[in-house]
Amino acid sequence: MQPSLETAVDEWHASVNGGDLRRSARAVGDPVVVLGPKGAGPITPEQFADWVERSGITLVPRSWHPVGDHLMVVEEDATWPGSKGPTRVATVFRESDGKITAALRLPDLRSALELAYICREMAATA
């Protein structure tokens, strides 16, 4: 695992969990590809910051699973305003030039790891 991948993932979590909109926009690439329960696709850093504000989500990392030099799966405890407790989820992160260029949130670690391995193999055979 490259230090820039770990640093980028840590910065992403710090900016999102802190609700810092400017910092969140700086933590991601342009565009950043997202996947979550409300859809998937590329968005701008400003749209990402808007999501941080709207969702009020907090994602506490619990385990880290490097999949390559630029891919990592992080298992997290997610909470939202009004939630009764944390929900365990997992996010596939892709890093480029020190920024998160994909954050693909899945309902569990197994499905996130499967997606990450597929992404790694697709990139290797392009």
Side-chain angles (χ1 to χ4, degrees), residues 13-14 16 35 47 53 65 69-71 79 81 101-102 112 117-118 121 123 125:
H13 280 99
V16 169
L35 169 68
Q47 290 169 319
E53 183 174 43
H65 306 269
D69 288 344
H70 300 281
L71 282 175
T79 55
T101 57
Y117 288 120
I118 290 168
E121 294 307 311
T125 59

Side-chain angles (χ1 to χ4, degrees), residues 104-124:
L104 313 173
R105 194 173 84 226
L106 292 137
D108 57 67
L109 180 60
R110 181 178 177 171
S111 54
L113 286 169
E114 287 174 356
L115 179 58
Y117 288 120
I118 290 168
C119 291
R120 183 186 69 190
E121 294 307 311
M122 285 176 54

